[in-house]
Amino acid sequence: MDFVLETKDLEKTYGQHKVLQKVNMKVPKSSIYGLVGKNGAGKTTLMRVVSGLQKKSGGSYFLFGKGDEDRNIYRVRSRVGAIIEAPALFLDLSAEENLKMQYTILGLPSFSSIKETLCLVGLENTGRKKAGAFSLGMKERLGIAMALTGSPDLLFLDEPTNGLDPEAIVEMRELILRLNREKDITVVISSHILDELSRMATHYGFLDSGVMVKEISREDMEKECRKSLKVKVDSQEKASVVLDRLGISYSVQGNGYLSIYGEVDMGVLLKALEFSGIRDIEKRNETLEGYFMSVIGGRV
């Protein structure tokens, strides 16, 4: 698999406070990578370090295969766009004027692609209206337009839906999906709105107290989160024999618990497991939020 970003034992400390602790992370090309974690988990710091806005304290990272210690790392940094914490906008300028200013700062030779970029983010009809008068959603979309200058291949978005109303959240989601599918831009996105993140992300990284607890693809997580019956029995061995004979899909969880998957006739199941000593049975359909809590809850 081709990775656009890899970190190896990446660390960041402020005095005695360890914000990132030996973080190992792999972001596949063309993915939407959801960075999940509580406030203070280190998500923003991780984005700032790998995008070059802050210096690391230890470890290493690679952008498009080039290590951060390489003196030519600046060449691949031009392929990275970012909105971290808040969009950096010129509030007294219009959307078009903001992009012209950004193009000038980056030394881009032509303004010819500005109209296309404004159309892409849905701001083509804002005219002379100043950015300071934009809604929060419009400011976020203008921020993304600014980050798209130079046609990046990798985009970091830190809480892009934070504070937006439901309509603006949907617009932001559709924009991110469009950038990924139509422009083949790899996106690393952090969000507190986990239900919304689950509608976009193809891969997840679970960060807790500066530690990357787990990385998983959407497909593998959906398998772990699929609808199931959580059953507690006295004898897992007896229960396994019965379930195997019936051809029922299940997994052994330990401590007397089994997870049973698929559509199962409850009457048949209860009768079949009668001699296994059923103690408890619970229906489960885990969400991303529930999965996240189970992952970080199991960390020592």
Side-chain angles (χ1 to χ4, degrees):
M1 185 178 292
D2 189 13
F3 299 105
V4 299
L5 169 65
E6 292 183 70
T7 71
K8 294 185 178 180
D9 295 332
L10 189 64
E11 295 185 331
K12 179 62 181 178
T13 61
Y14 296 103
Q16 299 299 313
H17 181 48
K18 295 182 178 181
V19 182
L20 299 177
Q21 303 185 55
K22 296 187 180 299
V23 172
N24 292 290
M25 174 185 185
K26 291 185 176 182
V27 179
K29 184 180 184 300
S30 304
S31 67
I32 298 179
Y33 186 104
L35 191 57
V36 184
K38 299 177 182 178
N39 284 333
K43 303 187 301 298
T44 298
T45 299
L46 177 56
M47 287 186 170
R48 291 182 66 85
V49 170
V50 296
S51 62
L53 297 176
Q54 284 184 297
K55 290 185 177 181
K56 66 182 184 183
S57 300
S60 59
Y61 61 91
F62 299 81
L63 286 170
F64 305 100
K66 191 172 290 292
D68 65 284
E69 298 288 353
D70 192 305
R71 63 180 181 180
N72 293 317
I73 186 70
Y74 70 92
R75 293 181 179 174
V76 295
R77 287 204 190 283
S78 64
R79 299 171 62 186
V80 178
I83 306 178
I84 299 177
E85 295 181 300
L89 306 177
F90 302 97
L91 299 181
D92 290 331
L93 301 180
S94 68
E96 183 176 350
E97 290 168 339
N98 264 273
L99 287 185
K100 285 182 177 179
M101 184 67 74
Q102 184 75 351
Y103 274 53
T104 301
I105 291 172
L106 295 178
L108 299 176
S110 171
F111 297 150
S112 60
S113 61
I114 286 180
K115 288 187 177 180
E116 179 186 352
T117 302
L118 289 174
C119 287
L120 183 62
V121 300
L123 295 177
E124 67 274 19
N125 296 318
T126 54
R128 296 181 178 274
K129 185 175 182 177
K130 293 182 179 181
F134 284 5
S135 67
L136 184 57
M138 293 171 68
K139 287 178 180 177
E140 288 289 345
R141 282 184 279 138
L142 179 55
I144 289 181
M146 301 277 277
L148 290 174
T149 56
S151 301
D153 296 308
L154 173 61
L155 190 61
F156 291 103
L157 300 178
D158 185 23
E159 300 282 356
T161 59
N162 195 29
L164 301 186
D165 60 44
E167 182 179 357
I169 288 175
V170 172
E171 291 174 348
M172 182 60 64
R173 180 212 311 161
E174 292 177 347
L175 173 57
I176 292 169
L177 289 171
R178 195 181 316 128
L179 293 174
N180 177 252
R181 293 170 180 171
E182 298 178 9
K183 301 294 183 181
D184 196 30
I185 297 175
T186 303
V187 183
V188 177
I189 175 174
S190 69
S191 178
H192 283 107
I193 308 176
L194 299 188
D195 179 63
E196 184 61 33
L197 188 60
S198 69
R199 299 169 190 264
M200 296 183 285
T202 61
H203 295 75
Y204 297 93
F206 296 91
L207 198 66
D208 186 40
S209 301
V211 177
M212 184 62 76
V213 181
K214 186 170 187 175
E215 287 189 298
I216 191 170
S217 68
R218 177 169 60 195
E219 290 78 8
D220 287 341
M221 193 185 74
E222 285 177 350
K223 290 178 183 177
E224 294 189 21
C225 292
R226 60 184 168 168
K227 291 181 180 180
S228 64
L229 293 173
K230 186 177 181 181
V231 181
K232 184 174 177 61
V233 294
D234 287 335
S235 174
Q236 287 181 321
E237 185 176 350
K238 289 181 180 179
S240 296
V241 170
V242 172
L243 294 173
D244 286 336
R245 187 171 67 242
L246 294 175
I248 294 174
S249 176
Y250 71 96
S251 62
V252 177
Q253 304 299 326
N255 297 320
Y257 283 100
L258 301 99
S259 290
I260 297 174
Y261 307 105
E263 296 296 328
V264 180
D265 186 301
M266 189 65 72
V268 172
L269 179 67
L270 292 174
K271 186 175 181 179
L273 294 179
E274 181 179 357
F275 297 105
S276 302
I278 293 182
R279 296 298 180 185
D280 187 35
I281 187 165
E282 175 189 354
K283 289 185 178 180
R284 305 187 70 188
N285 185 16
E286 200 163 45
T287 62
L288 173 58
E289 183 175 1
Y291 185 80
F292 167 61
M293 294 306 297
S294 70
V295 168
I296 67 168
R299 192 172 74 82
V300 293

